[in-house]
Every structure is written in C-alpha cells, then in structure tokens.
Amino acid sequence: MTDNTEGIPAPVPRVRETKQAGDAHARFAWAEPCVWTKPMLAALEKGVKGGKWFSLMDKGYSPGNLSASFTRVKRNKGSAGVDHQTVEHFEQDLEGNLQRLHQTLKDGSYVPHAVKRTWIPKPGSREKRPLGIPTVRDRVVQTALRNVLEPIFECTFAEHRYGFRPGRGCKDALRRVWQLLRQDHHFVVDADLKSYFDSIPQEQLLQGVEERVSDGRVLELLSAYLNQGVLDGMARWTPESGTPQGAVISPLLSNIYLNPLDHLMAGHGIEMVRYADDFVLLCKTRDDAERALTLVQAWVEQNGLTLHPEKTRIVDVRERGGFDFLGYHFERGYRWPRDKSIKKVRETIRGKTKRTNGQSLSCIIADINPVLCGWWEYFKHSHYTSLRHLDSWTRMRLRSILRKRRKLKGRGRGADHNRWPNAYFAAEGLFSLLQARSAAAQSLHR
C-alpha cells in the first residue's frame, strides 16, 4: 500500500468502460478460454438482448471446461468429502470420471452429494466456524459452473468491492481504506453481518441470478447446490437458507446477493469498501455516517439479513478505539495488526519453537522464516512498534530453546541477551521485520 491519494477514482456503479472486442479480451483475460470465446466476450461488453444469457449449460459440461476445472481443484488441494474420495483418487481415473460428469450433466441425471461439515477454530476466539466440504466431483462441477457465470456478473459488480474478484484482493481493499482515511473520511461505520453465509435467503439469491441468466438447467443446478444435504457427524439435514462456506460457488453467489447494497451505497455517494461480507463505510461527518448506517440497516432488514448489534458501530478514527478491517487496526492516523492477527502468528511460531524442539537452531529458523516473511508481506505497512515487538518476542522464544539446552529453566531473559545478542540470530539467518522495513524504506528513497 502507498500513502499517495492523488488520482483516486470515485465509486462507480459498474466496472464496464471499454467497448471494443480487443479491450474486452484483455479485461477478461482471466476468463476460462474454453468457455468464453472472443465473440462471447464482445457480447459481454455490448450487452445481450434483454440483458439475460441463455443456453449456458452446454458450456458448463463441455469436456474442456470440466478438464480445466479439475486442474483448478487439484491446485487448490482440499480434503475428501462424504464419499472419502481424494483429489488423487479422482485423478487415477480422470478421463473416466470427467466423462461420467459430462454425461450426467448433459442428460440431467447429475445430483450433488451431501456436504461434509467440519468446524474450524476462529483466530483469537474460542468459537468455531462451520466449513462445508463438497466432494471432489462436486467441486469440479461447481468450478465449471463458476467459469461460466463469473464473467457475466463481474460486469455488474461495483468498483470498490474486492473480495473474491479476479485481480483484486485484501491489499487493494486496505489501500482504499487508507486513502479515504487520508482524505478526511474520519467517521467509519464498522459493520458486521451476522452469520451471513448461513443466512442468505435462497429464493431471493436465485432471483438475483435470474436477473442475468435465463438458462433453466443452470438455475436448477444452482438450486440443487443450495439444497444439498449437510452431514455433520452422524446427523444429516438440509439447510433452508444460506450457501455453504467452503463451496466453490459460494463466494460468487454471496457477491451477487450483496451487489444491490453496493450500488445503493454508491448511488447515495457513500464510500463503501467491502471484502466478502466484511465491509466499512467511510464518511466525512458523523451525520453522514448515521445516514449511511440507517440505509444499511433498512436494506439488510428488507433482504433477510441481520447486522450484529454489538459489532456494528460508528467510530471516529481520530479518537481512541479505532476499528479493525481485514487483519489491520486503524486508529488516530496509524495502522497496525489487530490483536487477533498478533495472536495467530504467535500461536504459529510458538508451535515451531517449543523448548523441547530437538532440531538445530538453523533448522528451526528455516522453519519460522517463511511465517515471518509472509506476515511481513501483509503487515509491512504497520507502525514500526508492532514489528519490533514481534521481532523481540521471536528471539525470546529462540533464547528459551538455547537456555533449555544449557539445562537452564525459564524463558530467555537477562544475561541471555549478552550470550545470544540480536546479531547472533541475524548471523544465523533469522528474518527481521524491522530490518525488512528499514530496507524497504531505503529502496523508496533511492
């Protein structure tokens, strides 16, 4: 992220700007080429009759699309679903499996398996988040379906939506937030949609898809996915709302459902930055923030969703307290990792630096360096004190290991800083966040 705020585009309701086929091909270079030919991309730019797309199912079950979809599923790895078939097992008879999928999708006999529900820890919390794991065959079909639908809806998405979109990510959203804060948008509506993925009204979601897609078989397939059974331990049930977290198609569907909210905010001149269901509204006055919150509350209520009453609030970032967004904390003109982000990285490093670790120091450092490097890449724009504290804490963990090997008790402290000074760990190759920051600052001034 940079602090440069010049030339920032105002929110616009649509990303579509180019009209020529060559421009369309360049802008949709990420689209699956075996589905989206040049004439189809040109039609995306010019628009289709009635604004709706017909006859898409054959693109979904085409052998080329299914093969490309498996390649993506394999790259993303992932666990086996309720049928216990792993990606490796599926690949052993890849041609036969893809042919069977092609045939069942073509003749209409394809039926999705139940989704295996598992529970994963929430960073910095005792709560757990539900995760749905479809079978490999269903992930392949969902990916093929997404390859067909994503370009159609990408044309309609608001400019400042960043989650699960080609060529966009968390850093882009964070950069936009920082730019707006520097432009005196000091009043922030920190919004939280309660259990969003599990509470999306399915009928209204399908209506949103139908606004752009009129292929009945595609709509039936989407409906089948929304009504998949869920296997949670020994219990099996069918959800009446929501789209399962973990399903390949879920991020696209969740973006489609919130698309009207994005345009509502843009239409009222409200700066909204959204990543999936996590969003903030940035305003220059408290009155504007209160108006924005009222608009959001009304839309959310009308569309079957719920704002978390305790987590949704208006914040003046010039005062103590601030707000969290995508792992960062923003407050009084500064930004640093939120507490949960610090806790998560410490838990990871703690697991690799137990005092009973029998590896050599160089091996331990080689194990934790990728963690520190990855953390630095995301949090490099933090205030330096947060980087210094994590550097210091990591060296303390390593000194504790060295103390243990000298049959000393407790963690690294006192005289240990003379026995094993910071330069000692630097010589062993330990990645330093502060040194990385200093090097980055020097390169900017060259």
Side-chain angles (χ1 to χ4, degrees):
M1 289 182 284
T2 66
D3 293 343
N4 180 26
T5 59
E6 297 180 3
I8 300 170
V12 294
R14 298 186 188 279
V15 185
R16 184 186 304 173
E17 294 177 355
T18 58
K19 292 295 181 184
Q20 298 183 1
D23 293 332
H25 187 262
R27 189 160 73 83
F28 288 95
W30 51 267
E32 181 53 52
C34 67
V35 175
W36 287 93
T37 61
K38 288 185 178 181
M40 289 180 68
L41 291 176
L44 267 180
E45 289 295 315
K46 295 177 182 178
V48 293
K49 187 176 181 180
K52 293 188 178 184
W53 288 76
F54 298 82
S55 303
L56 294 172
M57 191 62 185
D58 61 318
K59 311 294 190 302
Y61 61 67
S62 69
N65 190 16
L66 291 174
S67 179
S69 298
F70 172 76
T71 299
R72 291 192 182 188
V73 170
K74 181 181 178 181
R75 184 169 60 242
N76 293 336
K77 301 179 181 179
S79 305
V82 295
D83 63 353
H84 307 293
Q85 186 179 47
T86 64
V87 173
E88 292 75 17
H89 290 153
F90 189 93
E91 190 175 23
Q92 288 175 5
D93 185 22
L94 181 59
E95 184 176 349
N97 284 326
L98 293 182
Q99 177 58 35
R100 282 186 285 275
L101 279 180
H102 168 78
Q103 188 59 44
T104 55
L105 288 166
K106 185 177 182 180
D107 63 28
S109 61
Y110 170 83
V111 178
H113 289 145
V115 173
K116 182 173 73 174
R117 170 156 288 190
T118 186
W119 297 84
I120 58 176
K122 283 187 176 181
S125 172
R126 294 182 180 180
E127 298 179 7
K128 291 190 176 183
R129 176 182 291 115
L131 180 67
I133 304 177
T135 60
V136 175
R137 70 187 276 274
D138 289 343
R139 298 207 294 269
V140 171
V141 176
Q142 287 187 28
T143 303
L145 187 59
R146 187 186 65 186
N147 289 344
V148 173
L149 296 178
E150 192 167 28
I152 295 173
F153 289 96
E154 178 65 23
C155 291
T156 73
F157 289 159
E159 177 67 19
H160 293 119
R161 173 199 290 174
Y162 299 93
F164 308 112
R165 293 185 65 185
R168 294 168 179 243
C170 291
K171 289 185 178 180
D172 300 302
L174 290 166
R175 184 180 296 112
R176 179 63 178 168
V177 167
W178 187 246
Q179 288 171 339
L180 290 169
L181 291 175
R182 302 279 289 190
Q183 290 181 336
D184 298 330
H185 289 73
H186 295 144
F187 294 92
V188 178
V189 179
D190 184 11
D192 184 271
L193 288 172
K194 189 175 181 180
S195 302
Y196 172 62
F197 282 88
D198 289 332
S199 60
I200 301 174
Q202 295 177 354
E203 183 177 348
Q204 291 174 246
L205 172 58
L206 286 174
Q207 289 174 358
V209 177
E210 289 176 9
E211 291 178 4
R212 301 282 293 177
V213 174
S214 286
D215 189 317
R217 296 186 63 189
V218 169
L219 296 172
E220 288 176 4
L221 184 56
L222 283 175
S223 180
Y225 280 126
L226 292 176
N227 289 281
Q228 278 177 281
V230 175
L231 188 64
D232 190 353
M234 297 300 294
R236 178 170 177 147
W237 53 282
T238 301
E240 297 180 356
S241 63
T243 174
Q245 295 189 54
V248 176
I249 200 71
S250 289
L252 175 61
L253 295 178
S254 67
N255 273 342
I256 291 172
Y257 195 72
L258 288 180
N259 196 33
L261 176 61
D262 298 336
H263 292 297
L264 176 67
M265 294 297 103
H268 282 82
I270 297 169
E271 296 286 1
M272 178 180 186
V273 181
R274 182 167 71 80
Y275 190 95
D277 59 330
D278 195 359
F279 65 90
V280 288
L281 309 172
L282 298 101
C283 306
K284 289 190 173 182
T285 68
R286 181 171 290 277
D287 287 344
D288 287 344
E290 290 175 350
R291 179 173 65 93
L293 178 56
T294 299
L295 285 170
V296 170
Q297 288 171 330
W299 188 92
V300 164
E301 183 177 348
Q302 291 170 6
N303 289 272
L305 303 175
T306 305
L307 283 175
H308 199 295
E310 297 176 359
K311 297 181 180 179
T312 300
R313 60 204 177 102
I314 295 177
V315 175
D316 184 345
V317 295
R318 295 168 297 183
E319 299 176 354
R320 288 186 176 275
F323 69 99
D324 295 338
F325 187 62
L326 298 181
Y328 270 86
H329 181 79
F330 296 87
E331 181 182 333
R332 290 172 290 161
Y334 297 103
R335 49 190 163 171
W336 59 83
R338 67 173 185 168
D339 291 342
K340 289 183 179 180
S341 300
I342 295 287
K343 184 175 181 179
K344 183 177 180 180
V345 72
R346 284 193 173 193
E347 287 176 351
T348 302
I349 294 174
R350 187 178 286 111
K352 297 176 180 293
T353 56
K354 295 180 179 179
R355 274 175 273 185
T356 55
N357 192 321
Q359 294 179 304
S360 66
L361 183 63
S362 59
C363 287
I364 296 173
I365 288 176
D367 194 25
I368 64 176
N369 271 350
V371 177
L372 293 170
C373 289
W375 200 83
W376 155 254
E377 281 302 316
Y378 192 77
F379 290 105
K380 64 173 65 176
H381 300 285
S382 299
H383 192 263
Y384 77 93
T385 53
S386 60
L387 306 179
R388 182 185 64 197
H389 290 157
L390 185 55
D391 270 346
S392 177
W393 183 85
T394 301
R395 287 191 295 265
M396 179 275 293
R397 296 290 300 178
L398 296 176
R399 289 187 180 103
S400 298
I401 293 174
L402 297 176
R403 279 180 62 85
K404 174 73 173 178
R405 292 176 182 179
R406 289 196 173 195
K407 302 187 182 304
L408 299 173
K409 296 181 179 181
R411 65 181 191 175
R413 61 187 186 277
D416 296 330
H417 291 267
N418 295 323
R419 293 191 187 99
W420 305 291
N422 296 354
Y424 173 82
F425 297 106
E428 290 289 332
L430 178 65
F431 181 84
S432 168
L433 299 168
L434 275 183
Q435 288 182 3
R437 179 187 176 91
S438 177
Q442 290 178 8
S443 66
L444 287 174
H445 289 91
R446 287 175 182 171

